[in-house]
Amino acid sequence: MHIYRIHIIGLVQGVGFRPFIYRIALEMHLNGEVHNNNEGVNIEIEASETDKNLFLKRIQKEKPFASDINKISVEVLDGIPYRKEFTISHSDSVSDRVTHVSPDIAVCTDCLNDMKQQVRRIDYPFINCTHCGPRFSIIRELPYDRTHTSMQPYSMCPECFEEYVKITDRRFHAQPTACNTCGPSYYLTQLNKEGTLLHNYVSPDHFFQRLAGHIENGELLSLKGLGGYNLICDAFNPKAVLQMRSLKKRDAKPFALMFRSENEVRKYMILSKEEEKALTSWQRPIVLLHRKPEKELNTSINGGLDTFGVVLPYLPAHYLLFEQLKTDALIFTSGNLHDEPIITDNQEASAKLLPECHLQGDHDREIVNRTDDSIIQLINDTPRILRRSRGYVPTTHKSALYMEGILAFGPEKVNTFAIGKDNEAILSQYIGDLKNIETLDFYKEAIRHFCRLFRFSPTTYVCDMHPDYFSTRHAAKLASESNGQLYMVQHHHAHAVACMEENHLSGNHLAIVLDGTGFGTDGKIWGGEFLICDHEQFSREAHLDYIPIPGGDKAIKEPWRLAIAFLEHYKIPIPAQIADLHAPEMELIRKMTRQQINAPQSCGAGRLFDAVSAMLGCCDIASFQAEAPLRLEHLAEDNYQLRYPIDELNPLKCCSLLNHIAEDVQKGVRTSLIAAKFHNTFAQQLLQQTELIFQKYDLPREVILTGGCFQNRRLSEQVEKGLTKRGFSPVVPQLYPANDGGISLGQICIAASLRKKEYA
């Protein structure tokens, strides 16, 4: 017999890991103890070598579904006597190293059953256990104990405490354990005729009956959830949906739909096995699904597109609400005003949302970390994260690089930041557009919280090269104040390395990086890039043509300007349909393009998609980011064979492509066919350019595909299949967004690699 100390590092707190260890030890009749500290889980057992090996094997095989083990270390501690029992000891804090923090987990089936059977928890909207419930959204610091969460003000009643300490109970050491007697409560908030706020605590059944009654009457509600407030209404009430658009100041951007259950999703949506798996996972993301052709849904829900963002209930409150509703689906959107962060504070919600809503559902548990819903899309039957937040944050990226002390500030739009602990990068939740002052405050607040939660002190700073990004200026300021090392990383290099890191690639690889905007080393706007790069440097082997962008950012919001600019640049006759529509402004735009007056040069692929979208009448004025390319993608018909000719030796030259499109527009060829041929041709251009580069260089056959344009399902599927057919291996982001939400991962890895080289 020996005494073994076992140390486990990974996602092992807040997922029922200690109770799981305890039960295995009791089943195997082992003596010892288990406890948390901020570095992970420590176990000491008295066992034979055979039992020790079986114990370790069972840990790996039977671990809780939401847990993740990165490393198990074992040492022998002979000579330390043990009591004849196995215990769970109090948590402690031993260093600045940290273990992983669990993301929030959707309510489990067992808790939903308890909600109908346990007297103290009948209809209790905060029910949870060791397998589900709030985690990241309520934690202030490690180790993960109740006193370190926003459950601290709620003392367990005797019955809950008995469950909490009972070894065989599912709520054994479940930190947010509570019931109707002792836990948080929902309450109703209204404005009376005088504009005074009225707060009304009612029983759970009455609370959800009141909410449902207002929804059935076609009214808008705000409801405090897990990571913030949500705005909800009946998805099948056109008037309510239009009111929601007015409240959100959202003319066409799609709303998410929350369906009652998977059965209702199947009534309206096409659902593959992989989509079903993502939709019903414990993360419960929004999944982009295609509507069944025979099912009519209000087009104002998703702005007339052919996909809908769909999510299933993930909180007990969602299930309780649907029990009182007749409708199959709700509009389920973030509780915020235009471009602001999701609201978490009760008073702010009352001030900003309640004047536009008929009723507000509040609760009295503080939201420590705000999180939006995550978004998933399947491309080639593999899930790709478009927005990484609730359910996924703050799981970490394990790297071969040492990242301790590195703070990556991320991009300007679709911002996330990242911090480095040992050999791991911890990415923040989705932050948003830093040009918005409220989002900027959230950004600073979230960085401070990550530093506190993960005991992180930055010594090295890394940011985008763009001199006007707030994230760049903020990084420079903090680096200067702390006398820290500052690295400035090119935007598309960061995109490429993020994808390489996720897929554990090192050394030089070809990366095709397509997006709308990124500051280039030549001072121009990049975004149609073929880079050969590793973690430290890159060479730019090819790119799309530079085109003057009349009005700069204004042209991105008004894609018709880009249509005229592209045609003018290539000296292509402007089709009458476009010329007639924009006659008053057309000559000015042509002059700005020719003389490059307030017309910065860009080779961004996103601008090409914008221009073609406007040429086909899909989108002249964009009301949300990437609307024009999105509408162009959804316009394209299912024709994957026809395409326009390309220059085999100069495949990225788009003059011929746009000339053919303009001729087809002039002839009145159906726009759905033109859109299909455009996508087919552009995919072929990328494939041909790849072939040319591989004729020139001896490179690994893995080809990185990243950047926001590769969220275009049609383009991605064609390029990935085309590369595979030619003997290449397409490498794509899946766990981190291909859009700018993954930039911070690339930044932190590049900085770690450069720092290692400098100090080698």
Side-chain angles (χ1 to χ4, degrees):
M1 298 287 285
H2 296 282
I3 296 170
Y4 296 96
R5 175 175 291 162
I6 302 167
H7 184 54
I8 303 178
I9 298 174
L11 180 48
V12 290
Q13 292 192 23
V15 291
F17 208 87
R18 284 181 299 170
F20 154 70
I21 293 295
Y22 188 99
R23 283 190 284 270
I24 292 180
L26 259 61
E27 289 172 10
M28 294 183 63
H29 307 289
L30 301 177
N31 298 327
E33 69 172 24
V34 58
H35 71 276
N36 282 343
N37 61 37
N38 54 294
E39 295 183 355
V41 167
N42 279 327
I43 307 162
E44 292 180 7
I45 58 168
E46 188 174 16
S48 66
E49 185 174 1
T50 300
D51 282 347
K52 179 262 295 182
N53 292 337
L54 177 59
F55 183 72
L56 293 173
K57 185 179 292 185
R58 289 190 63 181
I59 290 173
Q60 292 278 18
K61 184 177 180 180
E62 302 172 26
K63 63 184 176 65
F65 69 91
S67 67
D68 186 36
I69 296 173
N70 282 354
K71 182 181 179 182
I72 298 180
S73 59
V74 182
E75 60 178 313
V76 179
L77 301 175
D78 283 335
I80 301 177
Y82 261 111
R83 300 183 303 273
K84 296 300 181 181
E85 60 181 347
F86 193 92
T87 60
I88 294 182
S89 302
H90 290 295
S91 302
D92 58 22
S93 179
V94 297
S95 74
D96 285 337
R97 294 184 63 190
V98 297
T99 188
H100 296 181
V101 175
S102 169
D104 299 300
I105 304 172
V107 62
C108 68
T109 302
D110 288 335
C111 279
L112 291 177
N113 291 334
D114 287 349
M115 199 166 62
K116 298 305 171 189
Q117 297 170 5
Q118 288 188 342
V119 175
R120 293 172 13 259
R121 294 195 175 92
I122 295 295
D123 294 340
Y124 183 55
F126 297 92
I127 195 168
N128 69 90
C129 69
T130 55
H131 304 140
C132 71
R135 301 293 194 268
F136 175 63
S137 60
I138 64 172
I139 189 170
R140 289 195 175 91
E141 59 181 284
L142 289 169
Y144 177 69
D145 284 328
R146 192 181 183 100
T147 55
H148 295 153
T149 73
S150 56
M151 286 297 294
Q152 186 272 334
Y154 306 95
S155 298
M156 290 185 214
C157 66
E159 291 85 356
C160 282
F161 185 74
E162 183 179 352
E163 294 170 328
Y164 181 79
V165 297
K166 187 177 180 181
I167 300 164
T168 57
D169 197 283
R170 205 176 73 256
R171 294 183 175 85
F172 180 53
H173 279 244
Q175 302 305 330
T177 292
C179 69
N180 274 311
T181 303
C182 62
S185 300
Y186 268 102
Y187 60 91
L188 297 168
T189 301
Q190 288 178 283
L191 287 171
N192 64 14
K193 294 181 180 179
E194 289 74 35
T196 303
L197 287 176
L198 301 177
H199 304 299
N200 186 16
Y201 279 87
V202 295
S203 63
D205 60 337
H206 186 54
F207 176 86
F208 291 104
Q209 285 172 9
R210 287 282 304 277
L211 293 182
H214 283 271
I215 292 171
E216 299 287 4
N217 287 335
E219 298 169 349
L220 311 188
L221 305 180
S222 59
L223 178 65
K224 189 176 183 181
L226 193 64
Y229 279 80
N230 290 103
L231 291 166
I232 56 179
C233 70
D234 185 355
F236 294 94
N237 187 315
K239 183 178 178 181
V241 176
L242 290 177
Q243 287 178 336
M244 186 71 79
R245 289 212 170 277
S246 176
L247 166 60
K248 294 278 288 185
K249 296 181 175 61
R250 182 185 286 189
D251 295 335
K253 188 176 180 180
F255 288 127
L257 288 173
M258 176 176 280
F259 279 92
R260 177 187 298 274
S261 73
E262 188 182 343
N263 289 335
E264 277 67 37
V265 175
R266 291 189 179 281
K267 286 182 185 177
Y268 297 93
M269 303 291 163
I270 300 169
L271 189 63
S272 70
K273 286 184 179 180
E274 290 301 319
E275 288 167 336
E276 177 186 11
K277 184 178 178 181
L279 189 68
T280 59
S281 68
W282 62 265
Q283 291 94 344
R284 283 293 199 282
I286 295 171
V287 181
L288 301 187
L289 300 175
H290 282 89
R291 173 182 58 84
K292 286 184 174 179
E294 69 275 13
K295 290 291 183 180
E296 291 298 327
L297 283 170
N298 185 351
T299 56
S300 62
I301 294 172
N302 69 336
L305 301 172
D306 62 357
T307 57
F308 290 78
V310 173
V311 66
L312 288 174
Y314 55 84
L315 293 180
H318 300 154
Y319 288 92
L320 292 168
L321 179 57
F322 269 112
E323 285 180 8
Q324 305 294 333
L325 287 168
K326 297 176 183 177
T327 185
D328 283 342
L330 297 169
I331 295 293
F332 186 78
T333 188
S334 56
N336 58 0
L337 300 182
H338 184 64
D339 286 340
E340 294 182 4
I342 188 171
I343 293 172
T344 60
D345 179 73
N346 298 26
Q347 291 183 337
E348 184 183 2
S350 297
K352 291 184 175 181
L353 303 180
L354 190 54
E356 304 294 334
C357 295
H358 293 82
L359 190 65
Q360 183 163 297
D362 294 318
H363 64 68
D364 50 21
R365 185 179 70 200
E366 180 189 357
I367 297 172
V368 179
N369 295 296
R370 76 180 80 202
T371 55
D372 286 273
D373 292 311
S374 298
I375 303 176
I376 297 283
Q377 173 180 229
L378 269 83
I379 299 176
N380 279 333
D381 293 325
T382 59
R384 319 283 173 92
I385 291 185
L386 306 186
R387 184 167 75 193
R388 184 177 178 273
S389 199
R390 177 188 56 77
Y392 296 89
V393 172
T395 51
T396 66
H397 168 73
K398 185 75 173 176
S399 176
L401 295 164
Y402 183 67
M403 300 186 181
E404 184 68 45
I406 304 177
L407 173 56
F409 287 77
E412 183 88 334
K413 290 187 176 182
V414 198
N415 178 272
T416 66
F417 62 86
I419 64 171
K421 295 292 294 184
D422 291 332
N423 292 88
E424 294 178 318
I426 308 173
L427 268 68
S428 74
Q429 68 271 48
Y430 165 79
I431 302 293
D433 187 348
L434 299 186
K435 288 183 178 178
N436 179 285
I437 187 64
E438 290 83 3
T439 307
L440 190 54
D441 290 340
F442 169 32
Y443 176 66
K444 294 177 179 178
E445 164 202 312
I447 290 177
R448 288 193 296 268
H449 184 71
F450 266 58
C451 290
R452 182 174 63 252
L453 176 61
F454 295 106
R455 305 182 186 198
F456 173 78
S457 297
T459 58
T460 304
Y461 304 82
V462 55
C463 61
D464 196 276
M465 282 179 53
H466 199 301
D468 294 330
Y469 280 0
F470 170 82
S471 54
T472 301
R473 297 196 300 270
H474 193 47
K477 176 177 179 291
L478 294 183
S480 175
E481 290 174 351
S482 65
N483 198 30
Q485 175 70 50
L486 176 66
Y487 295 99
M488 302 183 76
V489 172
Q490 202 281 321
H491 188 90
H492 302 96
H493 186 204
H495 265 306
V497 170
C499 184
M500 291 173 67
E501 264 291 315
E502 180 187 330
N503 291 278
H504 308 291
L505 297 180
S506 60
N508 276 329
H509 282 78
L510 175 63
I512 307 175
V513 189
L514 306 179
D515 63 4
T517 301
F519 190 79
T521 54
D522 58 0
K524 297 179 182 179
I525 303 169
W526 291 8
E529 311 307 314
F530 281 71
L531 308 179
I532 295 177
C533 61
D534 59 18
H535 279 52
E536 298 166 12
Q537 58 190 353
F538 69 90
S539 62
R540 193 184 189 206
E541 294 301 317
H543 59 85
L544 295 175
D545 291 338
Y546 282 117
I547 305 293
I549 307 298
D553 286 347
K554 190 172 183 179
I556 301 172
K557 297 178 180 178
E558 299 180 3
W560 66 267
R561 291 170 171 256
L562 292 164
I564 294 171
F566 270 79
L567 295 173
E568 177 65 25
H569 176 79
Y570 287 124
K571 297 180 172 52
I572 298 170
I574 297 175
Q577 297 93 318
I578 300 173
D580 292 345
L581 189 62
H582 300 288
E585 306 101 331
M586 190 174 70
E587 283 309 311
L588 174 62
I589 299 304
R590 294 178 69 180
K591 181 179 179 181
M592 292 173 69
T593 303
R594 286 194 304 269
Q595 300 181 11
Q596 297 189 29
I597 301 170
N598 188 24
Q601 291 194 332
S602 168
C603 65
R607 304 293 78 85
L608 173 64
F609 279 75
D610 287 340
V612 175
S613 182
M615 288 174 68
L616 302 188
C618 295
C619 182
D620 275 356
I621 306 295
S623 63
F624 60 90
Q625 185 178 358
E627 179 180 3
L630 188 60
R631 295 198 178 281
L632 180 64
E633 177 191 356
H634 286 254
L635 173 67
E637 61 187 52
D638 290 334
N639 184 321
Y640 293 89
Q641 304 304 318
L642 295 179
R643 60 175 182 258
Y644 299 111
I646 65 171
D647 184 339
E648 297 288 335
L649 297 179
N650 297 287
L652 296 186
K653 298 294 182 184
C654 291
C655 179
S656 174
L657 170 63
L658 289 165
N659 188 53
H660 282 99
I661 291 173
E663 289 177 353
D664 279 356
V665 170
Q666 185 71 38
K667 293 174 185 175
V669 174
R670 64 182 183 276
T671 53
S672 61
L673 177 59
I674 301 174
K677 291 174 71 176
F678 164 72
H679 282 88
N680 300 345
T681 306
F682 189 63
Q684 183 63 29
Q685 290 176 279
L686 300 179
L687 293 169
Q688 179 60 24
Q689 184 62 57
T690 301
E691 293 273 21
L692 292 179
I693 290 174
F694 272 86
Q695 290 172 15
K696 186 177 178 182
Y697 298 102
D698 181 19
L699 294 167
R701 300 296 282 181
E702 297 98 345
V703 177
I704 290 103
L705 307 175
T706 190
C709 290
F710 281 112
Q711 292 178 176
N712 181 314
R713 192 190 319 233
R714 187 184 187 98
L715 176 68
S716 293
E717 288 179 347
Q718 289 195 73
V719 174
E720 289 173 33
K721 290 175 181 176
L723 287 172
T724 301
K725 187 177 180 180
R726 288 163 173 78
F728 299 104
S729 297
V731 178
V732 298
Q734 296 183 48
L735 302 178
Y736 300 92
N739 61 41
D740 284 7
I743 285 281
S744 59
L745 175 60
Q747 289 178 343
I748 198 170
C749 293
I750 291 170
S753 187
L754 290 172
R755 185 176 67 176
K756 178 182 178 181
K757 183 178 180 180
E758 289 177 10
Y759 290 96

